[in-house]
Amino acid sequence: LRFRLAGYPRKHNEGRVEVFYNDEWGTICDDDFTLGNAHVLCRHLGFVAATGWAHSAKYGKGVGRIWLDNVNCAGSEKSIGDCKHRGWGNSDCSHEEDAGVVCKDERIPGFKDSNIIEVRKLWPEWAACHRAPGYGAVWELPLRVLESSTGFPGSWRGVGTWQAPCVTLGTGQGAQPARAATGRVAGDTSAATGHAGRGSGLLSPHRLFTERQQLNYRLHSVSCTGTEVHLSMCSFEFYRGNSSAACGAGMPAVVSCVPGPLFATGNAHKKKQRQQQQQQGQPRIRLKGGARVGEGRVEVLKSSEWGTICDDRWNLQSASVVCRELGFGSAKEALTGARMGQGTGPIHLNEVQCRGTEKSLWNCPFRNITQEDCKHTEDAAVRCNIPYMGYENLIRLSGGRSRFEGRVEVAVGAGDGDQPRWGLVCGEGWGTLEAMVACRQLGLGFANHGLQETWYWDASNVTEMVMSGVKCAGHEMSLSHCQHHGASLSCRNTGTRFAAGVICSETASDLLLHAPLVQETAYIEDRPLHMLYCAAEENCLASSARLANWPYGHRRLLRFSSQIHNRGRADFRPKAGRHSWVWHECH
């Protein structure tokens, strides 16, 4: 059994309960529903308990089968199947009686979070996929980009086999299905529209390609409005019977994707994007607090001050507008409840309601915030679909106690079908910024430590240094994007013990000084030297204090109060363990 929450409007810990049974998603009827039922279902969904439940399709009517009716749980059962009920598929209910649950916003430790806020759709969440055959689980129907000698993509995977959508010339299909498709795999969807089924320049080479293999068609008459976040939300029809003989009047659908700014390759692309950024000026939207590219708390610039967005009515349409505005694909998840950490400062927007066609979040209807409406515990966040670039295949860790730590090994010379050669990175100059990029490239989150010596992780037969002088700004997606010495290696200590290493973490603290408080409380004080012995021992005084006539005289000090906020998703702890702390007599 698999379970998910669905419906709209809702937050991540509430919704209509849907259960996957006998290869089909269905709902549960609200007859005789109790809080005990909700407790069991919330545990299935990875939450510790339920705080309530909803009847009469509060989160919208589901589709498909109503799998369970007259469910009666005590609340301690391991599975909903252990509770009393009328039997699977035996129900006298309609979807107007679909049950929902409200779970306590506390996860079961170690439970893998897979709940995604979605509107109604026809099958499970599609995988974001780009040049990645086989990406995703076997039951998904993701879009796959098919490589050929002509370089034209456009094929789908059904359950167990790859199958293609048909596009018939002259039927009006084209721009909108391409937008829905490319929103999943490219950044600039507007530039990718209008390429499906138009123009002989695209179709002729592709026809040559399709003649070389037998295609099975699954869908036809795909019709999108352009606001959908994935193709499963468009209207379409299934082919029945002999799918290989289908699509006689048409041919496979084709899309052409244009990379967003972060994924552009080649100087011409990058120069054009730099010009666009200069024309647009300072961006008015950004993502903060996310460990990976394309995820984070949404922050907007208003009246010269960055602030957050309240999660009331936050959904995939609004999240997709944010993602596309930032140069990513459509949204994979619309996150509520400050899942990417709490922001600071003002909360600028509430009840954002985008249609999905807007170029910017600022073009969407929203309500200005009042003090009583929202707190930072309700900050909205997003996870965007990004193109599959394959960067994680060019780096690995070895020798660590877990998959989150180890000596860094990188692949070089992996082009033109050659086997990659694995080597080490020189630890000289290796620090936190470089470790941040390595952890991001590995898909392991944030960097806890960047290590210049790794003699205690000597568990690999890789001994050759292949990269040195690595200097990152911290935002790069791959170590190869950072400055480095290239083929001219220069490393004073070339032994394996001096190879670079990392310790990564899924979550991290994020400290922010409350600057206005420093300004408001700052003052000058003349303080006698005999009261400053501790400050001198801790090197808190200027170097000229050593020449003073102790304990006579005084020093002029700048005094202020400070307040430091932790906006991250982990507690802040000193890097040094307690065993190495030193008791200081001044404290």
Side-chain angles (χ1 to χ4, degrees):
L1 296 178
R2 285 209 308 278
F3 297 84
R4 69 183 181 191
L5 293 173
Y8 174 82
R10 69 182 185 88
K11 294 188 177 180
H12 67 279
N13 57 326
E14 62 178 327
R16 180 178 64 250
V17 179
E18 297 190 351
V19 56
F20 191 70
Y21 175 77
N22 203 21
D23 290 332
E24 190 177 347
W25 285 101
T27 61
I28 298 175
C29 182
D30 63 11
D31 289 353
D32 300 332
F33 208 87
T34 65
L35 190 61
N37 299 356
H39 281 311
V40 175
L41 288 165
C42 284
R43 287 198 296 272
H44 273 304
L45 291 158
F47 298 95
V48 294
T51 58
W53 59 278
H55 58 84
S56 307
K58 176 187 173 182
Y59 299 103
K61 293 188 285 187
V63 293
R65 300 285 296 273
I66 299 174
W67 279 124
L68 292 172
D69 190 5
N70 300 110
V71 181
N72 189 350
C73 304
S76 58
E77 291 86 351
K78 288 279 200 310
S79 168
I80 196 75
D82 299 335
C83 304
K84 295 177 183 174
H85 55 81
R86 288 178 59 157
W88 289 95
N90 183 8
S91 170
D92 59 0
C93 298
S94 71
H95 280 296
E96 291 178 350
E97 301 168 83
D98 283 343
V101 294
V102 181
C103 301
K104 186 178 181 183
D105 192 7
E106 183 182 337
R107 307 296 288 179
I108 295 171
F111 189 89
K112 184 168 169 48
D113 182 10
S114 60
N115 183 35
I116 296 164
I117 292 188
E118 307 178 25
V119 293
R120 181 197 299 181
K121 58 187 188 176
L122 299 176
W123 47 64
E125 173 70 6
W126 290 34
C129 185
H130 184 63
R131 301 180 185 220
Y135 185 90
V138 294
W139 46 267
E140 291 179 317
L141 277 165
L143 185 69
R144 178 179 78 157
V145 175
L146 197 67
E147 290 292 348
S148 73
S149 58
T150 58
F152 287 98
S155 187
W156 299 34
R157 183 177 70 171
V159 179
T161 60
W162 282 99
Q163 299 179 325
C166 169
V167 56
T168 308
L169 299 184
T171 60
Q173 291 174 253
Q176 302 310 337
R179 177 183 172 85
T182 54
R184 300 284 297 166
V185 297
D188 187 352
T189 56
S190 59
T193 60
H195 288 282
R198 293 190 184 183
S200 59
L202 269 177
L203 297 177
S204 297
H206 202 275
R207 189 180 293 280
L208 290 173
F209 169 68
T210 57
E211 285 172 359
R212 292 202 299 271
Q213 68 172 45
Q214 183 67 48
L215 290 174
N216 291 315
Y217 292 92
R218 184 63 182 257
L219 307 181
H220 67 96
S221 305
V222 181
S223 178
C224 305
T225 64
T227 62
E228 296 86 353
V229 295
H230 41 66
L231 279 168
S232 66
M233 296 171 63
C234 304
S235 66
F236 53 81
E237 293 180 34
F238 278 105
Y239 277 114
R240 305 291 179 190
N242 184 5
S243 60
S244 61
C247 201
M251 57 190 314
V254 178
V255 295
S256 177
C257 304
V258 176
L262 282 171
F263 309 99
T265 55
N267 292 330
H269 261 312
K270 291 179 179 175
K271 186 176 179 184
K272 183 181 176 185
Q273 273 146 6
R274 272 199 304 270
Q275 289 170 349
Q276 288 174 347
Q277 287 168 356
Q278 287 167 359
Q279 290 166 3
Q280 292 166 356
Q282 185 184 10
R284 296 182 64 197
I285 189 165
R286 67 186 184 186
L287 300 183
K288 287 286 184 180
R292 297 172 182 85
V293 175
E295 70 174 29
R297 179 178 59 254
V298 182
E299 297 190 351
V300 291
L301 185 65
K302 184 179 179 184
S303 305
S304 301
E305 190 174 11
W306 286 100
T308 61
I309 297 175
C310 185
D311 63 10
D312 291 350
R313 302 182 77 86
W314 186 246
N315 64 9
L316 274 176
Q317 267 72 27
S318 300
S320 289
V321 170
V322 169
C323 291
R324 286 173 173 148
E325 184 176 355
L326 290 166
F328 304 112
S330 60
K332 181 162 39 174
E333 294 183 65
L335 302 168
T336 60
R339 298 263 297 285
M340 289 289 172
Q342 297 182 28
T344 57
I347 301 172
H348 284 318
L349 309 179
N350 189 19
E351 294 189 15
V352 179
Q353 296 179 67
C354 301
R355 294 187 304 277
T357 55
E358 296 86 351
K359 295 282 187 192
S360 170
L361 190 74
W362 293 101
N363 302 139
C364 302
F366 61 85
R367 202 159 65 83
N368 284 320
I369 201 80
T370 63
Q371 198 65 39
E372 300 78 39
D373 283 336
C374 286
K375 298 182 174 62
H376 281 297
T377 53
E378 300 171 81
D379 284 341
V382 296
R383 275 199 185 101
C384 305
N385 286 299
I386 63 170
Y388 174 75
M389 307 300 286
Y391 294 138
E392 70 274 19
N393 298 325
L394 304 176
I395 188 171
R396 67 189 185 191
L397 299 181
S398 69
R401 296 163 297 179
S402 72
R403 68 187 186 92
F404 286 93
E405 65 178 31
R407 179 181 287 164
V408 177
E409 297 179 0
V410 294
V412 293
D416 302 324
D418 297 334
Q419 278 293 105
R421 179 168 55 94
W422 289 95
L424 306 175
V425 179
C426 178
E428 201 175 306
W430 182 267
T432 303
L433 292 177
E434 291 72 33
M436 280 170 60
V437 175
C439 291
R440 182 181 299 124
Q441 186 177 351
L442 287 157
L444 295 179
F446 300 97
N448 267 357
H449 299 278
L451 304 158
Q452 296 187 359
E453 288 190 32
T454 53
W455 50 268
Y456 38 83
W457 283 334
D458 206 0
S460 171
N461 57 3
V462 175
T463 58
E464 182 188 2
M465 289 278 184
V466 296
M467 186 180 271
S468 65
V470 180
K471 190 173 178 58
C472 302
H475 56 74
E476 297 89 347
M477 288 189 289
S478 166
L479 284 178
S480 61
H481 298 167
C482 303
Q483 293 179 28
H484 57 90
H485 291 153
S488 308
L489 289 178
S490 175
C491 189
R492 277 181 299 186
N493 300 305
T494 55
T496 55
R497 68 168 293 172
F498 298 106
V502 293
I503 300 176
C504 306
S505 172
E506 280 286 333
T507 58
S509 54
D510 184 10
L511 304 186
L512 181 76
L513 179 69
H514 184 33
L517 183 67
V518 175
Q519 294 174 330
E520 291 163 11
T521 59
Y523 66 97
I524 299 293
E525 181 189 32
D526 286 347
R527 201 163 179 85
L529 280 176
H530 68 83
M531 297 177 67
L532 293 174
Y533 277 106
C534 283
E537 283 184 31
E538 295 183 341
N539 289 321
C540 291
L541 302 181
S543 57
S544 60
R546 289 199 297 270
L547 307 175
N549 185 22
W550 290 81
Y552 309 106
H554 66 272
R555 303 293 293 181
R556 180 159 289 180
L557 306 178
L558 175 66
R559 310 277 318 262
F560 55 87
S561 299
S562 70
Q563 195 177 82
I564 297 172
H565 297 271
N566 181 5
R567 302 192 302 176
R569 290 181 287 151
D571 292 335
F572 173 72
R573 294 187 178 91
K575 284 190 176 182
R578 280 186 296 180
H579 61 278
S580 61
W581 293 3
V582 177
W583 181 261
H584 197 290
E585 63 178 9
C586 294
H587 297 159

